[in-house]
Amino acid sequence: MSFMVKTLEFNQILTKVGSYAKTERIRKEILELLPSTDLSDIERSLQECVDLESLHIRVGRIPLIDDFDIHQLLQYAKLERDFNMKELLLIRLFLSMEQDVLNYFREARRLEIPLRSINPYFERMHDHKSILDYLRKKMDEDGLIYDDASPELLKIRKEMFRHEKSLQDKLQKLLSDLGSYLNENVIVMRNDRFCLPIKDAYKNKIKGVIHDLSATKQTVYIEPEQTRSITARLESLKIAEENEIRAIMKDMTELIQEANQSIVENLDLFLAFDFISAKTRYAESISANKPRLNDTQRIRLIKARHPLIDPREVVPIDVEIDEHKRTLLITGPNTGGKTVALKTVGLMVLMVQSGLLVPAHEESELSVFEHVFADIGDEQSIAQSLSTFSSHLTKIVYMLEHVTDRSLVLLDEIGSGTDPNEGFSLAIAILDAFRKKNIRMMVTTHYSELKSYAYEEEYMAVASVAFDKKTLKPLYYLQMGATGSSHAFLIAKRLGLDETVVDEAKRIYSGRQTDLSRVMEKLSDEMAYVEQQKKTYLDELEKTKQAKAAYEQETHVLNKERDQVIRAVRKKEEEKWKKVIQDAEKLLDDLQKKQHLTKPEFADLKHRIRITDEHSEETVSKDRLGIGDDVFIIPYQQYGKIIESKNDRYRVVFGKFDLTFQASELKKEQNAPSESEPKKHKSSGGATPARRAPFELDLRGYRYDEVKPALDDAIDRALLAGTHSFRVIHGFGSGAVRSAVHDYIKRSVFIKSHRFGGEGEGLNGVTIITLK
């Protein structure tokens, strides 16, 4: 098999397709893709793209993530090596994607979308939700192992927490007791140990280990003897924690190793999805379709567009070659689109045989060829000392030696580059040699003699690239059945050649032009007009078909929606009616059991009779609201007082807020709680719970970037509840959380003042915030 992919620029197509791949392996596989000659394989590949495109329209794209190929990690599983945390996170991410893909196809089935050729992939997928749930139970998405990942880890971390609290308490007491010895009333970290900044003059009065000195030598950083045993125990617990975490990771590794084979099979399926998805997404970008396939070497392209030309500029062409007209001769002026037509046909064939949809009408037909030969453009070889003519002829020799009856040959400017008389004679002989091979062929030329030859040969069809004689510009589309002039005189005139020179050229040409040439030129003009009219009628017919199809589709959708609405209403009403009947029957049974009714029983029966009507009507507040009324504000779940009303809108004061509400958002309170009583309100089901300000905010264990949202929320709730101050516990630690708190305080417009905690309030491990 021989496919001249470089000459036809097919490698550029593959580069564009590969850019849509999610994994490097599939990207490389696409770049190395070669056309197939197996009709059934090609049909399957194309149908997969069509079916996936329909899924894209209805459900969206398959949720594959970038670089999900964990093939190397799964190879490690065979080596019985424990995964590290980064590897476990990658596997967890892969298993999360697996669930997304499974849910994607389940949703497609729920919507009753036919999966067709994609269904076998879905059927072979394994579900590893239990493994994913296990991983999620043991660690978060950042790789932090949860406290309750194992009983032993929970026990260790609880003990660590107790010791850390004990350490903080002792340090706080030391700060208080040794205040006169300290250069600064803070606790600092040196060599991962908690130290006190002792004045150099008192360093011998403090028992402990010196870990550092200040630059001025005035401060000695000492770890007190009283805390060393706690610190040593904490270090021991950290080692135990690390060992337990390794044991948990080993358990996770073993669970993954047990399912290694099924995970590998899923990975292979996802890689297949990546391959199909990349082809499909490229097809969507160029509005491609699946053509009809045949094995008779018939080519019938309708509105085919060169995929590498800007869609806004490319002009569609129609081309047809079959067993009766096996060779198509294309004529016309330079830069008119002859070469583009050759490349378009060649690319369409290579694309479809590589499983790619093509930018042509879905009624187009393409065949499967064993060879696609192309000699396009001037590729003269300086290294081999070959002229343009020699280069072309060398390729033609190779083609004649290797073609079979299932070959497509594309020749640009056949016989050019030498003496015209010898060139067209050689061209006719070459065409006749290819004719005997029973191949399919497209040829471009400027030779008038070849046009005459094509009209005489039954196996040849002719076409020309359209040219507007009024504007002197090429139109680029093909006119089947017509031969075109090179329009050299018109183009020369447009480019500014002196008119007398052009007229002289016309005089010389007319003397050499034969009667047959003049008849052919006139016939070509008439054929061009007929083709233009035919194209206009076909365009109108296509628009009519599309409008009809759109109308039928819209009617179908509307009928389906109408039927669904009717079924839903009928079902709902039937259920309500059944409920009414059941309630009535129960009511009758209750009445039959009674000799007489007490007043409470009678009231209860009246309520049960009216309950259906009450549930079917909207509850409308009949409260008459006025200035001075105490009201409950439903959206905020707070009490307030109306101070102004206008056009059914009420201005309400509550806490430090003064806002305007609609009547539907307020509920009049007959017995509003006094200032000394706690303001409580029992919310109905589904209502927002009452906002209560925290008396303290514990930030221990928070990261730096988690402090701001926590403080935002605390201040919001404090302002709503009218609380003027609250306590923020940030601990000592490395000082990062405390620094984040104080950075926030500096920028906040709601905070009036702040201070560190006093004796019994937590000292420097606490900040007291007062709001404005």
Side-chain angles (χ1 to χ4, degrees):
M1 294 183 294
S2 180
F3 298 98
M4 295 188 170
V5 296
K6 185 177 179 181
T7 303
L8 293 169
E9 300 173 325
F10 183 58
N11 55 319
Q12 294 185 36
I13 300 289
L14 296 180
T15 300
K16 288 179 177 291
V17 177
S19 67
Y20 291 100
K22 296 287 187 180
T23 59
E24 188 59 35
R25 194 200 307 195
I26 293 302
R27 195 172 294 116
K28 183 178 179 182
E29 188 176 322
I30 289 171
L31 293 177
E32 297 173 352
L33 187 62
L34 290 175
S36 170
T37 57
D38 188 310
L39 185 60
S40 61
D41 282 349
I42 296 170
E43 181 72 40
R44 176 185 52 78
S45 296
L46 295 175
Q47 192 59 48
E48 286 174 349
C49 293
V50 172
D51 294 340
L52 187 56
E53 188 173 14
S54 68
L55 275 176
H56 283 180
I57 294 170
R58 297 284 302 278
V59 195
R61 293 183 182 136
I62 298 180
L64 300 175
I65 61 176
D66 292 333
D67 301 317
F68 66 80
D69 187 2
I70 57 170
H71 179 77
Q72 191 63 48
L73 288 183
L74 298 178
Q75 290 297 313
Y76 292 156
K78 297 179 181 178
L79 304 177
E80 297 184 357
R81 177 180 73 80
D82 290 346
F83 292 121
N84 59 39
M85 184 55 69
K86 182 180 178 181
E87 292 166 346
L88 286 171
L89 285 173
L90 287 173
I91 293 171
R92 171 185 156 138
L93 190 61
F94 176 83
L95 295 178
S96 295
M97 182 191 77
E98 174 193 283
Q99 289 304 306
D100 291 340
V101 174
L102 283 167
N103 291 333
Y104 173 88
F105 284 107
R106 287 166 184 154
E107 177 65 11
R109 282 191 167 176
R110 188 187 69 80
L111 296 174
E112 298 181 354
I113 301 172
L115 300 178
R116 299 190 182 92
S117 61
I118 303 297
N119 192 58
Y121 294 98
F122 176 54
E123 294 290 348
R124 297 203 304 273
M125 284 178 61
H126 303 278
D127 191 345
H128 300 104
K129 188 175 185 302
S130 59
I131 298 178
L132 178 61
D133 289 344
Y134 183 83
L135 296 180
R136 285 175 172 171
K137 185 179 178 182
K138 300 297 181 183
M139 64 179 180
D140 66 12
E141 58 187 14
D142 295 322
L144 178 67
I145 301 295
Y146 292 124
D147 293 349
D148 59 356
S150 74
E152 182 63 23
L153 183 62
L154 182 61
K155 177 183 174 184
I156 291 170
R157 286 186 174 171
K158 281 183 176 180
E159 188 174 352
M160 287 176 68
F161 179 78
R162 286 196 303 273
H163 280 77
E164 285 171 350
K165 188 175 185 307
S166 175
L167 178 62
Q168 292 295 333
D169 292 341
K170 285 203 173 187
L171 288 168
Q172 289 294 333
K173 189 174 186 308
L174 287 169
L175 278 175
S176 177
D177 295 344
L178 304 175
S180 59
Y181 297 162
L182 301 177
N183 250 342
E184 190 179 358
N185 195 31
V186 294
I187 299 167
V188 297
M189 292 291 291
R190 290 294 185 272
N191 300 328
D192 294 326
R193 299 296 182 98
F194 289 104
C195 298
L196 298 176
I198 305 297
K199 296 175 183 177
D200 183 65
Y202 300 112
K203 65 182 179 182
N204 294 325
K205 293 183 176 295
I206 306 297
K207 290 184 178 181
V209 177
I210 297 176
H211 284 280
D212 198 5
L213 295 173
S214 67
T216 62
K217 311 295 184 184
Q218 297 299 311
T219 304
V220 180
Y221 298 100
I222 299 176
E223 179 189 7
E225 185 68 30
Q226 296 92 320
T227 64
R228 291 193 65 209
S229 60
I230 301 176
T231 304
R233 178 57 181 157
L234 279 172
E235 289 179 348
S236 173
L237 288 170
K238 285 179 181 178
I239 293 171
E241 179 189 34
E242 290 172 2
N243 290 336
E244 183 60 22
I245 287 174
R246 277 195 289 270
I248 294 168
M249 291 171 62
K250 183 176 181 63
D251 291 341
M252 290 190 279
T253 298
E254 289 175 354
L255 189 63
I256 293 167
Q257 287 172 342
E258 290 173 5
N260 183 66
Q261 184 57 39
S262 59
I263 295 175
V264 169
E265 290 172 5
N266 271 7
L267 173 60
D268 291 339
L269 290 172
F270 295 155
L271 290 170
F273 283 141
D274 190 22
F275 182 76
I276 301 168
S277 178
K279 295 193 299 178
T280 303
R281 291 182 63 187
Y282 174 69
E284 292 169 347
S285 73
I286 60 172
S287 302
N289 292 300
K290 176 181 175 293
R292 298 174 181 175
L293 298 181
N294 65 71
D295 58 359
T296 61
Q297 284 69 65
R298 172 181 168 83
I299 295 176
R300 179 172 175 262
L301 292 175
I302 304 171
K303 295 184 177 179
R305 307 179 308 278
H306 194 294
L308 296 176
I309 298 178
D310 189 332
R312 295 168 294 184
E313 299 177 2
V314 67
V315 178
I317 62 171
D318 297 342
V319 177
E320 187 166 1
I321 307 173
D322 55 28
E323 64 273 16
H324 304 297
K325 298 292 184 179
R326 303 189 299 276
T327 298
L328 177 64
L329 181 73
I330 303 175
T331 59
N334 288 320
T335 71
K338 299 190 300 298
T339 303
V340 170
L342 290 184
K343 287 187 174 182
T344 299
V345 174
L347 278 175
M348 297 294 110
V349 171
L350 294 181
M351 287 176 69
V352 83
Q353 289 188 217
S354 300
L356 299 174
L357 303 181
V358 296
H361 193 278
E362 58 189 10
E363 294 296 321
S364 299
E365 282 189 63
L366 284 169
S367 188
V368 177
F369 294 93
E370 290 180 349
H371 305 281
V372 176
F373 297 107
D375 179 23
I376 298 174
D378 182 5
E379 297 181 2
Q380 108 178 247
S381 173
I382 297 175
Q384 297 179 8
S385 301
L386 296 178
S387 65
T388 300
F389 176 74
S390 300
S391 175
H392 288 320
L393 202 57
T394 300
K395 292 179 182 178
I396 290 171
V397 170
Y398 176 83
M399 295 177 194
L400 284 169
E401 291 175 351
H402 294 87
V403 292
T404 66
D405 58 356
R406 295 186 61 190
S407 298
L408 173 65
V409 175
L410 308 170
L411 299 179
D412 193 20
E413 302 294 352
I414 186 172
S416 64
T418 187
D419 176 78
N421 290 323
E422 294 180 355
F424 84 77
S425 300
L426 191 59
I428 291 174
I430 290 171
L431 289 174
D432 191 56
F434 277 120
R435 176 185 62 81
K436 295 174 182 177
K437 304 283 188 178
N438 194 32
I439 64 167
R440 302 298 178 264
M441 191 172 183
M442 285 180 66
V443 182
T444 68
T445 187
H446 285 286
Y447 290 139
S448 298
E449 292 81 359
L450 279 181
K451 302 174 189 177
S452 302
Y453 174 76
Y455 273 118
E456 294 170 0
E457 296 295 329
E458 291 184 355
Y459 77 96
M460 293 186 71
V462 294
S464 66
V465 288
F467 186 85
D468 190 331
K469 292 184 178 180
K470 293 181 180 178
T471 62
L472 304 181
K473 292 182 179 179
L475 301 177
Y476 301 109
Y477 64 85
L478 284 182
Q479 296 174 322
M480 296 297 295
T483 57
S485 168
S486 296
H487 298 293
F489 303 141
L490 294 175
I491 294 173
K493 186 177 180 180
R494 188 190 72 182
L495 294 176
L497 187 63
D498 190 280
E499 194 167 339
T500 58
V501 176
V502 176
D503 291 342
E504 178 62 15
K506 288 180 179 179
R507 185 189 66 76
I508 296 171
Y509 177 72
S510 62
R512 301 180 62 181
Q513 189 179 25
T514 63
D515 291 339
L516 178 60
S517 296
R518 282 189 284 271
V519 170
M520 287 174 57
E521 188 171 327
K522 182 179 180 182
L523 180 61
S524 293
D525 290 341
E526 292 176 354
M527 286 290 294
Y529 174 76
V530 171
E531 283 294 318
Q532 183 60 41
Q533 292 297 108
K534 179 182 175 183
K535 182 178 181 298
T536 301
Y537 295 141
L538 288 175
D539 287 344
E540 291 298 323
L541 179 61
E542 182 63 26
K543 288 179 183 177
T544 304
K545 286 181 178 178
Q546 290 177 357
K548 181 183 177 183
Y551 171 77
E552 290 176 348
Q553 176 65 20
E554 186 175 351
T555 302
H556 173 72
V557 171
L558 288 173
N559 288 339
K560 188 175 180 180
E561 290 177 351
R562 180 199 62 194
D563 293 342
Q564 288 176 343
V565 170
I566 291 173
R567 284 196 296 268
V569 171
R570 181 184 292 120
K571 182 179 179 181
K572 183 178 178 181
E573 292 302 318
E574 286 176 350
E575 288 175 352
K576 286 171 64 178
W577 181 244
K578 287 178 182 176
K579 180 71 167 57
V580 170
I581 292 174
Q582 289 171 358
D583 290 345
E585 289 175 347
K586 189 174 186 306
L587 186 60
L588 289 172
D589 289 341
D590 291 345
L591 287 171
Q592 287 174 355
K593 296 174 183 177
K594 300 286 184 180
Q595 295 295 330
H596 63 278
L597 297 176
T598 65
K599 286 186 177 181
E601 288 173 337
F602 181 72
D604 179 59
L605 287 172
K606 285 176 68 179
H607 169 70
R608 287 163 62 186
I609 290 170
R610 291 197 306 265
I611 197 166
T612 303
D613 291 336
E614 291 176 357
H615 286 171
S616 63
E617 296 177 359
E618 291 184 2
T619 301
V620 179
S621 175
K622 297 181 181 179
D623 293 336
R624 295 181 63 85
L625 302 175
I627 296 173
D629 285 346
D630 291 310
V631 291
F632 182 73
I633 307 164
I634 298 171
Y636 286 83
Q637 296 287 290
Q638 296 289 323
Y639 287 92
K641 185 181 289 290
I642 297 175
I643 61 170
E644 185 182 334
S645 67
K646 185 177 181 181
N647 298 330
D648 201 33
R649 294 185 66 80
Y650 298 88
R651 184 176 160 201
V652 182
V653 172
F654 61 106
K656 293 192 172 187
F657 290 85
D658 184 342
L659 301 174
T660 301
F661 300 94
Q662 295 179 359
S664 60
E665 298 175 303
L666 303 174
K667 183 177 180 182
K668 188 173 181 179
E669 289 295 322
Q670 303 299 332
N671 298 306
S674 64
E675 293 297 324
S676 61
E677 295 175 345
K679 295 185 177 183
K680 296 182 180 179
H681 187 272
K682 184 178 179 181
S683 60
S684 58
T688 305
R691 297 173 177 262
R692 296 179 181 175
F695 290 101
E696 68 178 28
L697 173 63
D698 192 347
L699 297 177
R700 287 176 294 186
Y702 279 56
R703 295 189 180 90
Y704 185 95
D705 55 357
E706 294 173 336
V707 170
K708 183 181 180 302
L711 282 167
D712 283 340
D713 183 64
I715 290 175
D716 286 348
R717 288 186 285 155
L719 289 171
L720 279 173
T723 301
H724 296 289
S725 66
F726 61 97
R727 185 171 69 147
V728 180
I729 303 173
H730 43 67
F732 297 93
S734 63
V737 175
R738 180 177 64 185
S739 176
V741 171
H742 285 260
D743 288 345
Y744 180 91
I745 290 171
K746 291 174 185 177
R747 293 192 297 269
S748 176
V749 298
F750 299 105
I751 296 175
K752 180 179 180 181
S753 62
H754 70 284
R755 62 178 175 82
F756 283 119
E759 188 71 27
E761 290 181 317
L763 300 176
N764 289 5
V766 167
T767 296
I768 308 298
I769 290 177
T770 302
L771 303 176
K772 292 180 180 178

